[in-house]
Amino acid sequence: MPDKDQRDDAEFQRLLHRLADGSLDQMETEQLESLLLDQPERQTQYLELMCLDASLMELGEISRSVPDYHISHPQEKKSVPWGVWMLTVCAVACLVVAAVLFVATGNERQQVVQQKGPAVQEETNQTTSKQQPQEPFSKATLIAGHRAVFRGTRSPTLTGSRLRFAENYMLQDGMVKIRFASGAEVILQAPALFQVAHEEELVVNLGKCSVYAPEGAEGFKVSTPTSNVVDLGTRFSVTVAEDGASNVAVVDGEAEVSSLSDPRKKRLLKGETAYVGTDLNVMDGDRDQSSQDYIDAIPDHLIAYESIPDEQGRAKSLASVSVQRAGVQRIYQADDFILPVLNHYRPGSHAFGVVPADSPAEELNRFGPMNLLFASGFINPGGEKAVHQGEFQLGRNGTPGMNLVFEQPVVNGPGPDLIIFDAQSIAHSLEGDVFHLYPQTDHPTARPMTVRKYDIDGHSEQAQIMAGCRLTQLSSDFADDGTPLPIVARSQLVHQVPSRLFAVGIDLDDMQIPPGGSITGLFLQDAQDDSDRIDPVVIVGLPPVK
């Protein structure tokens, strides 16, 4: 069946032929109008037809008034309906507007080129350059992020992306770190609405930002709906409420604050604060609250992962992970990973394994060491809504979930110590599946944790599409080692709904494992918070930080 664009094109051609015959009724005229809106190619075809129609009428006339551009229509020729001429006016207006925009854009580009010319020309355009950036992208760069989710942003927001001048960036969740050309660095916490006004000016209309301006970055400016803050070599925070009121706190060094209604500047020293309300008066701020607003670093987290692709470019197996630990980005390759051994799996209502799409018909998963293939393993483990209390029972009738034992202990260092990948169908949640983790350790302080957010989820451009797979439906039969066996006859179809690979870094600190302490294994359960179940296709431990 043709898609909507094809159907619209066919209908447009039909109406054009009806128009040439002069037989359009009111309903068809309105339909033709709708098909012309925001369609430059159709508008061009329409104007060509109108010009051709006018030319044919001229050729049929006896009058030869071409020099005066008058078109005399003979009485016997059927006149063009009023609605058609209105369409012509609309179409011509659209093209005129497009032409004006094209010329304006060309002039703007020419002005940018001229600014790269002699110093005299550059000096002449200096005022205009300050009023409106001439290049679409600034030198301000996103250098880090933690579970950052942007909403309604048309520009790239991956790490390493440059920010576009004057574009509103709505940070819905998480935090980002931006570095400006002078070396000034800003960390913004969601919810935050901001834009880069100039190379050394950030506009914050909502949210919290923490600024570090090293030597050489003096003069960096943060503007809010009520205030302007200019750095004098310092660390400071600016918090902007939804009504535009702003609170400024200097952590180190100095800064100047002024109200939009009063250009006089108030100098703030270390430990001092200022509050500018909607009345645009500058007052002393809340020191206790302001001291908590400054963030000096993005939390340690999983940054990205790389995969070995299949022939279609989909993620076949895990190649490496990039992780921030102790504030430093570190890359771990396949040989660095500590792999677990699976020795227990009890599913919920739907028991499945997953095998590569091109694997033999009788392929199945068995208990034993997990590998780095994404399309391999047991998915949909069972679980409990509340955190499990008491001991875990292994075996066919044991505790719902899966049990993992690592080949060597995983040591608690700074930042993430484990990485867990969840294969999430594109038909399901963008947030990822919630699950419980229970550490196997001798440390008396150890506690389970519930994972609700992923470092890389459906909102992230870094979530890769998993290679093709087959779902192996599991039966009530078991192998000698307790491995559930598949129903081979029901496990031959290649799964047609793609899955994306979400990932989360697990810090053993969150399970109350002391620094330098270790775990020997994990018990994993789905949190039973909805109808979806976690699909933990790859789990790896990271080596200790050296």
Side-chain angles (χ1 to χ4, degrees):
M1 178 180 293
D3 59 25
K4 184 178 184 300
D5 289 340
Q6 291 175 323
R7 293 196 300 270
D8 287 349
D9 285 338
E11 180 64 10
F12 175 68
Q13 294 298 328
R14 186 186 73 81
L15 292 174
L16 275 186
H17 286 92
R18 294 269 293 166
L19 174 63
D21 295 335
S23 56
L24 278 181
D25 58 25
Q26 182 65 29
M27 182 177 297
E28 289 174 323
T29 299
E30 293 174 357
Q31 186 177 3
L32 182 58
E33 287 179 351
S34 67
L35 291 172
L36 281 168
L37 290 176
D38 299 323
Q39 294 290 334
E41 292 184 4
R42 293 177 188 166
Q43 292 168 4
T44 300
Q45 292 181 48
Y46 175 80
L47 287 177
E48 289 175 351
L49 176 65
M50 295 305 300
C51 291
L52 177 61
D53 186 69
S55 299
L56 290 174
M57 287 191 290
E58 274 193 280
L59 291 173
E61 296 173 0
I62 298 177
S63 171
R64 299 194 177 267
S65 54
V66 175
D68 295 328
Y69 295 96
H70 292 300
I71 301 177
S72 176
H73 300 281
Q75 294 297 322
E76 64 271 19
K77 174 69 177 181
K78 189 170 183 179
S79 62
V80 180
W82 179 85
V84 172
W85 290 113
M86 287 301 296
L87 283 173
T88 304
V89 172
C90 294
V92 172
C94 291
L95 290 178
V96 169
V97 171
V100 170
L101 292 176
F102 179 81
V103 172
T105 304
N107 290 339
E108 183 178 355
R109 291 178 179 172
Q110 183 178 4
Q111 185 178 8
V112 175
V113 173
Q114 289 174 349
Q115 287 182 348
K116 296 180 181 179
V120 175
Q121 181 68 35
E122 182 176 351
E123 184 176 1
T124 302
N125 293 334
Q126 186 174 9
T127 303
T128 304
S129 177
K130 288 183 178 179
Q131 292 176 350
Q132 181 176 356
Q134 300 302 309
E135 295 291 341
F137 287 94
S138 70
K139 296 178 182 177
T141 305
L142 284 171
I143 62 171
H146 178 54
R147 298 176 182 174
V149 177
F150 285 91
R151 183 174 64 197
T153 301
R154 71 178 188 271
S155 301
T157 53
L158 286 172
T159 300
S161 299
R162 290 167 57 191
L163 299 180
R164 185 186 291 269
F165 280 121
E167 176 167 349
N168 274 323
Y169 290 87
M170 181 64 216
L171 182 65
Q172 184 177 0
D173 198 9
M175 60 179 63
V176 293
K177 187 174 186 179
I178 303 169
R179 178 177 293 144
F180 288 77
S182 64
E185 295 181 349
V186 177
I187 295 176
L188 289 132
Q189 297 171 265
L193 179 64
F194 63 95
Q195 62 176 245
V196 177
H198 300 288
E199 289 293 5
E200 298 302 325
E201 180 181 357
L202 178 71
V203 175
V204 180
N205 290 315
L206 172 68
K208 297 180 180 179
C209 76
S210 302
V211 178
Y212 165 59
E215 184 177 351
E218 295 86 354
F220 180 80
K221 181 179 179 181
V222 175
S223 300
T224 79
T226 56
S227 62
N228 292 316
V229 186
V230 178
D231 162 70
L232 300 178
T234 184
R235 298 176 188 267
F236 65 89
S237 66
V238 180
T239 301
V240 183
E242 200 160 339
D243 63 359
S246 55
N247 199 78
V248 182
V250 174
V251 177
D252 193 18
E254 303 177 32
E256 290 179 339
V257 181
S258 61
S259 164
L260 295 189
S261 66
D262 188 348
R264 290 177 297 179
K265 298 176 181 179
K266 178 178 181 179
R267 179 166 292 202
L268 300 180
L269 304 179
K270 179 179 180 179
E272 294 183 335
T273 63
Y275 175 80
V276 184
T278 55
D279 58 1
L280 300 182
N281 291 321
V282 181
M283 301 179 293
D284 290 337
D286 185 344
R287 293 193 178 190
D288 293 336
Q289 178 61 40
S290 299
S291 63
Q292 303 172 11
D293 289 342
Y294 187 82
I295 302 294
D296 60 359
I298 293 282
D300 287 341
H301 63 287
L302 169 66
I303 298 173
Y305 64 88
E306 295 294 334
S307 65
I308 297 174
D310 64 6
E311 294 178 352
Q312 285 74 42
R314 299 168 300 184
K316 181 178 180 181
S317 63
L318 179 62
S320 66
V321 296
S322 178
V323 181
Q324 178 180 306
R325 305 181 83 182
V328 178
Q329 182 173 342
R330 306 167 192 269
I331 298 177
Y332 296 94
Q333 308 291 341
D335 293 341
D336 300 319
F337 298 143
I338 303 171
L339 296 177
V341 172
L342 176 67
N343 63 3
H344 169 77
Y345 166 81
R346 185 177 174 192
S349 56
H350 298 90
F352 289 105
V354 58
V355 296
D358 58 357
S359 58
E362 67 277 5
E363 183 78 9
L364 59 92
N365 295 295
R366 289 185 175 273
F367 287 166
M370 292 186 73
N371 55 42
L372 299 180
L373 290 174
F374 290 119
S376 176
F378 296 95
I379 61 175
N380 288 0
E384 304 173 57
K385 288 186 177 180
V387 173
H388 181 80
Q389 303 295 324
E391 298 294 327
F392 293 101
Q393 302 297 321
L394 307 185
R396 299 179 185 179
N397 299 315
T399 308
M402 59 172 53
N403 192 65
L404 307 162
V405 179
F406 287 98
E407 297 173 331
Q408 65 186 66
V410 177
V411 177
N412 182 21
D417 305 296
L418 299 159
I419 310 295
I420 297 178
F421 289 85
D422 176 28
Q424 183 77 323
S425 165
I426 62 172
H428 294 164
S429 169
L430 296 175
E431 312 298 332
D433 300 308
V434 182
F435 62 97
H436 304 307
L437 281 181
Y438 306 83
Q440 298 175 13
T441 179
D442 294 332
H443 295 288
T445 59
R447 297 289 183 272
M449 67 178 292
T450 300
V451 178
R452 301 184 183 278
K453 288 190 174 183
Y454 288 69
D455 295 312
I456 298 174
D457 60 12
H459 299 285
S460 173
E461 298 177 47
Q462 296 177 341
Q464 300 181 27
I465 296 292
M466 188 179 81
C469 67
R470 292 204 326 269
L471 296 181
T472 58
Q473 185 172 342
L474 303 181
S475 69
S476 57
D477 298 328
F478 296 85
D480 293 339
D481 61 358
T483 301
L485 298 175
I487 305 173
V488 176
R490 297 185 183 177
S491 306
Q492 300 309 309
L493 293 179
V494 174
H495 196 51
Q496 295 300 320
V497 181
S499 291
R500 299 174 71 191
L501 293 162
F502 298 177
V504 58
I506 305 297
D507 190 339
L508 293 183
D509 283 344
D510 295 331
M511 289 190 277
Q512 304 299 309
I513 305 299
S518 63
I519 64 170
T520 57
L522 289 170
F523 197 91
L524 183 151
Q525 285 187 316
D526 185 81
Q528 303 285 292
D529 59 314
D530 54 28
S531 60
D532 296 334
R533 301 289 179 265
I534 183 172
D535 301 328
V537 289
V538 170
I539 299 175
V540 298
L542 301 181
V545 175
K546 297 180 181 179

